[in-house]
């Protein structure tokens, strides 16, 4: 693995950190990591949050000032660097105050990229990015390449930079559209875009802006870099053209000019004019068309980084999947219970439905993001015998789907599980894939998935897959 040299601009910027008056806005995990990294490098740091996280002072280096339970406009106007949490929209008035005061606004992942010369492999997209990130890291590790995983997947990238330093060969990072809003110089060695479907339209005004934010991942790449996009998705395939970087694609339907694809039950790679077989599609240990796409994307990125097909095939056979992503939590009495709590938009839930054989009792609903539900109509009619709705989105979902399939408003996840258990038949699947975020009834999608797992095992007798 060839390391990139820290650009002169980033080196000068990093050397100037001791003179910075920095505000870090939002004290979730990424904010804490950013505040710690800046403080250790000598910046004067104010950490601020609308809430009052318990024990925060003990988690940060000495000298970090805390402003909790609210924000001070004076603090924002007085800083020259603002690191903003990805959960805070660009329209926030305190960001505007910092900009008015002349501050530079960046995200934590942008900060981390300026503090390391280690190459970055970055994965974005609407669905599949977490699994693709994990698969890519796994393939690289199979080849003896030290490739820690972080970013939007859970571990802040600044934390990886601080702890791994120059020991890592490549940082593999999941990157959200929110993290790309304030990342003007981020330059991945390889950038992957899995797909684009309507999501977060409560934050972004339209699909075009959402896609354009995702595509910022490509904007700083040069001839030594590469982008990998989904050739089957029109919204991503349009980014194959243009740009100074090398372009690769992946497809379940046709061989690309360069990249990875599936054909007649086999997986292939084509780069530099050489076609190589990776493995059979059936060798992939995690089922579903979405996981096939994720694996193809990871293979294309790994091949660009110099990994051979043998390492890809080994990962295919051993990869066990991730919690809350089509996770089989129980099989009992001929019934399968699947936790797909990470299915937080219509596109993700549609792909999950098409990956399940037999009849499905679907549990969906939660906090409505306002996205288009029409991608779900076909899979619903084809696979779902009954839909159990929970949460705030229940009324809109019911109005949209009740003419196509039987619908029941269950209200809570516990009631939906109880009703599904009473009605499911042998050979069928009870699938939690909400097509919504979770914040009306749960802390996050992990909490929702954990609760479902416990409920499913309780009603099914606790027999796990």
């Amino acid at each position: 693995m060839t390391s990139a040299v820290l650009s002169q601009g980033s080196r000068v910027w990093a050397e100037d950190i001791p003179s910075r008056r920095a505000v870090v806005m939002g004290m979730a995990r990424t904010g804490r990591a950013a505040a710690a990294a800046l403080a250790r490098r000598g910046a004067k740091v104010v950490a601020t949050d609308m809430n009052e996280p318990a024990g925060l002072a003990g988690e940060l280096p000495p000298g970090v000032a805390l402003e909790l339970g609210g924000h001070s406009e004076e603090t924002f106007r007085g800083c020259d660097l603002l690191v903003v949490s990805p959960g805070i929209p660009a329209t926030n008035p305190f960001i505007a105050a910092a900009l008015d005061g002349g501050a530079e606004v960046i995200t934590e992942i942008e900060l981390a990229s300026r503090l390391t010369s280690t190459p970055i492999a970055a994965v974005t997209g609407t669905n599949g990015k977490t699994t693709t990130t994990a698969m890519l890291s796994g393939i690289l590790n199979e080849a003896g390449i030290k490739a820690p995983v972080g970013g939007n997947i859970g571990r802040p990238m600044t934390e990886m930079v601080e702890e791994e330093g120059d020991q890592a060969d490549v940082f593999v990072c999941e990157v959200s559209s929110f993290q790309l809003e304030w990342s003007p110089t981020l330059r991945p060695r390889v950038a992957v875009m899995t797909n684009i479907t309507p999501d977060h339209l409560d934050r972004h005004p339209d699909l075009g802006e959402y896609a354009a934010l995702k595509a910022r991942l490509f904007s700083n790449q040069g001839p030594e870099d590469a982008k990998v996009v989904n050739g089957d998705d029109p919204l991503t395939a349009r980014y194959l053209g243009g740009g100074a970087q090398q372009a690769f694609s992946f497809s379940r339907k046709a061989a690309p000019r360069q990249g990875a694809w599936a054909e007649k039950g086999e997986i292939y790679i084509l780069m530099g004019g050489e076609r190589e077989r990776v493995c059979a599609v059936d060798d992939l240990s995690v089922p579903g068309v979405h996981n096939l796409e994720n694996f193809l994307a990871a293979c294309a990125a790994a091949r660009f980084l110099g990994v051979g097909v043998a390492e890809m095939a080994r990962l295919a056979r051993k990869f066990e999947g991730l919690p809350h992503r089509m996770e089989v939590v129980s099989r009992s009495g001929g019934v399968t219970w699947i936790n797909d709590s990470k299915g937080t938009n219509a596109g993700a839930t549609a792909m999950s439905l098409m990956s399940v054989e037999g009849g499905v009792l679907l549990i969906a609903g939660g906090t409505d993001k306002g996205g288009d539900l029409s991608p779900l109509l076909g899979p619903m009619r084809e696979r779902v015998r009954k839909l159990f709705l929970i949460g705030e989105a229940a009324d809109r979902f019911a109005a949209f789907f009740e003419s196509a399939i039987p619908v029941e408003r269950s209200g809570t996840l516990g009631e939906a599980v109880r009703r599904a258990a009473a009605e499911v038949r042998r050979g069928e699947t009870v699938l939690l894939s909400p097509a919504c975020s979770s914040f009306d009834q749960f802390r996050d999608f992990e909490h929702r998935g954990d609760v479902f797992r416990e409920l499913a095992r309780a009603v099914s007798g606790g027999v796990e897959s």
Side-chain angles (χ1 to χ4, degrees), residues 230-254:
N230 187 339
D232 298 335
D233 182 348
L235 288 175
T236 61
R238 64 181 177 175
Y239 294 112
L240 271 172
Q245 72 276 74
Q246 300 173 58
F248 305 93
S249 63
F250 61 94
S251 172
R252 293 186 290 112
K253 301 175 181 178

Side-chain angles (χ1 to χ4, degrees), residues 176-263:
S176 71
S177 58
F178 300 161
Q179 290 171 312
L180 291 168
E181 282 184 310
W182 303 104
S183 295
T185 70
L186 178 64
R187 179 182 174 178
R189 182 80 168 89
V190 59
V192 180
M193 184 183 285
T194 58
N195 49 61
I196 297 291
T197 63
D199 196 15
H200 299 302
L201 297 185
D202 52 345
R203 170 91 169 246
H204 305 302
D206 54 53
L207 186 59
E209 179 182 294
Y210 173 60
L213 275 174
K214 294 285 191 185
R216 285 186 185 179
L217 199 61
F218 307 142
S219 60
N220 298 312
Q221 291 187 300
E224 296 180 351
D225 307 317
K227 58 185 174 185
V228 177
V229 305
N230 187 339
D232 298 335
D233 182 348
L235 288 175
T236 61
R238 64 181 177 175
Y239 294 112
L240 271 172
Q245 72 276 74
Q246 300 173 58
F248 305 93
S249 63
F250 61 94
S251 172
R252 293 186 290 112
K253 301 175 181 178
R257 299 176 74 176
Q258 286 199 102
W261 77 102
E263 178 182 326

Side-chain angles (χ1 to χ4, degrees), residues 10 18 107 139 146 206-207 243 283 332 374 399 408 410 436 460:
S10 292
T107 60
I139 294 170
K146 188 174 182 182
D206 54 53
L207 186 59
D283 288 338
S332 179
S374 58
E408 178 178 310
S410 302
C436 289
S460 66

Side-chain angles (χ1 to χ4, degrees), residues 136-150:
L136 176 55
S137 174
I139 294 170
L140 295 174
N141 287 322
E142 287 291 326
I145 296 170
K146 188 174 182 182
V149 172

Side-chain angles (χ1 to χ4, degrees), residues 177-392:
S177 58
F178 300 161
Q179 290 171 312
L180 291 168
E181 282 184 310
W182 303 104
S183 295
T185 70
L186 178 64
R187 179 182 174 178
R189 182 80 168 89
V190 59
V192 180
M193 184 183 285
T194 58
N195 49 61
I196 297 291
T197 63
D199 196 15
H200 299 302
L201 297 185
D202 52 345
R203 170 91 169 246
H204 305 302
D206 54 53
L207 186 59
E209 179 182 294
Y210 173 60
L213 275 174
K214 294 285 191 185
R216 285 186 185 179
L217 199 61
F218 307 142
S219 60
N220 298 312
Q221 291 187 300
E224 296 180 351
D225 307 317
K227 58 185 174 185
V228 177
V229 305
N230 187 339
D232 298 335
D233 182 348
L235 288 175
T236 61
R238 64 181 177 175
Y239 294 112
L240 271 172
Q245 72 276 74
Q246 300 173 58
F248 305 93
S249 63
F250 61 94
S251 172
R252 293 186 290 112
K253 301 175 181 178
R257 299 176 74 176
Q258 286 199 102
W261 77 102
E263 178 182 326
K264 297 180 180 178
E266 303 289 336
I267 295 172
Y268 297 96
I269 288 278
L270 177 63
M271 287 194 183
E274 182 182 1
R275 168 175 164 150
E276 300 174 90
R277 178 185 179 275
V278 178
C279 61
V281 171
D282 287 345
D283 288 338
L284 191 56
S285 59
V286 286
V289 293
H290 58 305
N291 279 319
L292 173 57
E293 288 186 351
N294 298 336
F295 183 65
L296 292 171
C299 286
R303 190 71 188 89
F304 171 76
L305 294 171
V307 178
V309 295
E311 290 78 13
M312 300 174 199
R314 284 204 300 271
L315 188 279
R317 296 182 178 99
K318 71 194 301 185
F319 187 78
E320 296 181 350
L322 300 172
H324 314 297
R325 294 159 182 85
M326 294 301 288
E327 173 194 9
V328 177
V329 297
S330 177
R331 284 196 178 102
S332 179
V335 174
T336 302
W337 295 75
I338 296 179
N339 168 24
D340 189 43
S341 184
K342 189 62 170 68
T344 58
N345 57 70
T349 297
M351 291 290 282
S352 296
L353 284 172
M354 296 309 294
S355 300
V356 178
E357 299 295 331
V360 176
L361 275 65
L362 175 66
I363 300 173
T367 304
D368 194 350
K369 298 181 181 180
D372 181 13
L373 299 178
S374 58
L376 272 170
L377 267 177
M380 285 275 199
R381 289 190 179 111
E382 183 176 340
R383 301 294 173 98
V384 176
R385 183 167 67 81
K386 189 168 184 178
L387 172 62
F388 298 85
L389 292 172
I390 65 174
E392 296 172 357

